[in-house]
Amino acid sequence: MFIPLYDANSLRYIKRQYVTLALIAVNIVAYLVTTVGGEDFAFAAALGLGYIPSVSHDLAVLPPELDLVPEPLTYITYSFLHGDLMHLGGNMLFLWVFGDNVEDALGHFRYLVFYLACAVAGAYMHGFIAPDSNAPLIGASGAIAGIVAAYLILHPRIRIWVLAFARIPLRIPAFIVLALWIGFQFLMLLIDTENQVSWAAHAGGILAGAVLVLVLKRREVSLFDRQIEKPRAVELEKPDMAAPVEGKPPHWGRQ
């Protein structure tokens, strides 16, 4: 429905979104590496590095040649694999537009923890909904969904440029775009049981992101674009420079 393009939301606490840029780079490199060998190599990488619920729940076993990493690591490694350029490009676009401000609100290290935790939550929810699935889950969508939820909580009133229906440029408040996107994910989770998209992974990332942003954000960062007001007890009254100081004329000083 909406394709985000630009949010004009400046950074306040960090100079540059180094972690977001690094994550985009790693995702692109992983895509290039896993697709350079052709479809068979890419499929083998998806089986070896993707998250497979049946393997995670000990209902199936991978062939030894595809057992590339310890099974718990697939809760993270799956999020750096993508099936095609559209899959990669869509996720990286959301990460580019919204990730920098979430990184700004959390700080570099906590943002990385947040991103990986949302990816883990996406895989966990996918496995909970379809525990016997033999299909590998790949893609950064779970982590991206967590970023979307965090951005909605942090900056709902920021206006962002989007393409509505992939062709009409609009500048509208973030809460309209992101609330609709989140609502769509849960709607599809309920009604779409045959699509190749893992709506459950999206839902898991959203729930994790909404909770973790409250825990990991900087103390001075407010929610919902609210201004933090200083308590009156710490506000100092400005001296009245026009009033005379006791024992001196009003404009006493060096001449």
Side-chain angles (χ1 to χ4, degrees):
M1 185 178 298
F2 296 108
I3 300 176
L5 299 176
Y6 180 65
D7 64 346
N9 192 359
S10 60
L11 301 176
R12 303 176 186 177
Y13 303 100
I14 61 176
K15 292 183 178 180
R16 190 171 296 276
Q17 65 275 32
Y18 295 113
V19 177
T20 295
L21 295 174
L23 288 170
I24 292 174
V26 170
N27 275 278
I28 293 174
V29 170
Y31 176 77
L32 295 175
V33 169
T34 55
T35 57
V36 70
E39 292 185 4
D40 292 339
F41 184 81
F43 184 64
L47 289 174
L49 298 174
Y51 171 74
I52 305 176
S54 61
V55 174
S56 178
H57 292 96
D58 297 324
L59 301 176
V61 178
L62 283 173
E65 63 272 18
L66 294 178
D67 193 9
L68 303 180
V69 297
E71 183 275 326
L73 280 183
T74 63
Y75 280 82
I76 292 176
T77 56
Y78 87 94
S79 66
F80 293 97
L81 305 178
H82 291 85
D84 53 47
L85 280 175
M86 288 293 292
H87 189 200
L88 173 69
N91 280 334
M92 294 305 100
L93 179 60
F94 271 73
L95 181 55
W96 170 257
V97 174
F98 302 116
D100 59 339
N101 294 110
V102 179
E103 181 176 351
D104 187 46
L106 273 60
H108 301 303
F109 178 74
R110 282 178 292 182
Y111 172 70
L112 179 60
V113 172
F114 170 90
Y115 182 93
L116 296 178
C118 289
V120 170
Y124 181 85
M125 182 67 80
H126 175 76
F128 179 79
I129 297 296
D132 57 350
S133 173
N134 294 315
L137 172 69
I138 60 173
S141 300
I144 302 303
I147 288 176
V148 169
Y151 194 99
L152 177 61
I153 292 174
L154 292 169
H155 304 295
R157 292 186 286 181
I158 291 293
R159 290 184 174 271
I160 61 176
W161 280 101
V162 300
L163 280 181
F165 306 104
R167 61 184 61 192
I168 305 172
L170 295 174
R171 186 170 179 264
I172 55 180
F175 77 87
I176 296 177
V177 179
L178 302 185
L180 285 175
W181 187 88
I182 289 174
F184 181 75
Q185 310 311 305
F186 284 98
L187 174 63
M188 296 305 291
L189 176 62
L190 295 175
I191 67 175
D192 186 4
T193 58
E194 299 180 359
N195 199 295
Q196 293 183 349
V197 176
S198 176
W199 306 109
H202 296 187
I206 290 168
L207 295 175
V211 173
L212 288 175
V213 70
L214 305 178
V215 177
L216 298 178
K217 74 175 184 68
R218 304 173 190 269
R219 285 187 177 182
E220 63 269 29
V221 171
S222 60
L223 303 177
F224 308 109
D225 287 321
R226 292 180 301 185
Q227 296 293 328
I228 297 180
E229 297 182 359
K230 295 181 179 179
R232 292 185 178 180
V234 300
E235 291 183 353
L236 299 177
E237 293 184 1
K238 293 183 178 179
D240 187 356
M241 302 303 296
V245 180
E246 184 177 354
K248 299 181 180 67
H251 301 292
W252 176 85
R254 291 187 178 181
Q255 299 297 325

